[in-house]
Amino acid sequence: RFQFQIIIKIFQNLNLLEWKFQKIPWRYWEKKSNLLLLAKYISKKHNFRNIRDWYKLTWQILVNDGSHQLVKIYPDGISFLKKIYPNYDWQPWFFDRITGRIWRTKKFQLKYLNWFAKKKKIKKANDWYKIELFDLKNLYARSLTRYHKTVYRIAKIHYPKFKFLAW
């Protein structure tokens, strides 16, 4: 047994958190049961009552409520949450902050644009003519609009073979 477990047992009334001790077992955060303990603690402390509340999870919460060791393995909320709730379809753009680099990847842009198209009922390429940059910014794509600057360029990602007229 680890020393912290003995201390926790002796001082049960203090509600000590095992991951807050300076030395925790090697690979501690690789065990899902430990991640679930932390998730339970975070949900109670930050009043996360449903799955959508978890989109408020930040790197700072992971560091403050977890540890620096934890964020070396799970550097952002989504990687942590995918480990805990692997069956939930996490949408990275719902988080307040995601790494801007992810918006540069075509695969991610396309995933977002497919979601956006469904949300805005875009069924064919011509439907993009009704979209404005504001629509994209309003639905979590500020970074995408910074990279591509125009709806025309963004629509070309979604429908690469369509001959859009520049508008």
Side-chain angles (χ1 to χ4, degrees):
R1 291 190 85 160
F2 293 96
Q3 290 178 347
F4 70 83
Q5 290 172 326
I6 295 167
I7 293 168
I8 289 173
K9 199 165 188 89
I10 293 171
F11 298 102
Q12 288 178 15
N13 59 327
L14 295 179
N15 295 321
L16 299 171
L17 304 170
E18 55 190 44
W19 62 85
K20 288 293 188 177
F21 284 86
Q22 283 197 341
K23 292 196 180 212
I24 57 175
W26 189 60
R27 296 188 153 177
Y28 180 84
W29 292 117
E30 291 177 22
K31 285 182 70 179
K32 190 170 181 178
S33 59
N34 294 332
L35 295 172
L36 289 169
L37 281 174
L38 174 60
K40 185 177 178 182
Y41 173 76
I42 289 173
S43 68
K44 190 173 183 179
K45 182 177 177 183
H46 296 278
N47 204 23
F48 292 173
R49 296 180 186 269
N50 60 52
I51 199 94
R52 294 282 299 187
D53 288 338
W54 282 100
Y55 283 110
K56 299 175 202 162
L57 183 66
T58 63
W59 181 86
Q60 202 60 50
I61 290 172
L62 287 175
V63 170
N64 292 343
D65 296 340
S67 71
H68 283 284
Q69 193 179 29
L70 171 77
V71 294
K72 286 179 185 172
I73 302 168
Y74 305 101
D76 52 40
I78 196 161
S79 58
F80 174 76
L81 292 168
K82 280 182 175 180
K83 184 72 175 180
I84 296 173
Y85 303 108
N87 297 328
Y88 187 77
D89 185 21
W90 294 101
Q91 305 301 342
W93 47 88
F94 287 161
F95 288 90
D96 284 340
R97 287 184 176 214
I98 57 172
T99 176
R101 285 175 275 145
I102 196 168
W103 284 103
R104 291 184 188 153
T105 65
K106 293 285 185 215
K107 182 179 176 185
F108 182 76
Q109 291 172 8
L110 204 51
K111 182 177 178 177
Y112 170 79
L113 291 172
N114 287 333
W115 174 84
F116 178 84
K118 196 174 188 181
K119 196 91 172 145
K120 288 298 209 174
K121 297 176 176 55
I122 296 172
K123 298 195 185 323
K124 55 192 182 304
N126 277 337
D127 293 340
W128 273 100
Y129 287 120
K130 298 179 275 182
I131 302 299
E132 296 181 31
L133 275 180
F134 174 79
D135 297 316
L136 289 151
K137 288 177 182 176
N138 218 24
L139 283 175
Y140 316 104
R142 277 190 200 291
S143 293
L144 181 66
T145 60
R146 261 187 253 128
Y147 292 127
H148 294 293
K149 309 262 189 265
T150 66
V151 175
Y152 170 78
R153 288 177 59 190
I154 293 168
K156 292 289 288 176
I157 296 166
H158 199 226
Y159 285 97
K161 293 178 181 165
F162 187 78
K163 300 273 190 245
F164 284 99
L165 300 173
W167 64 96

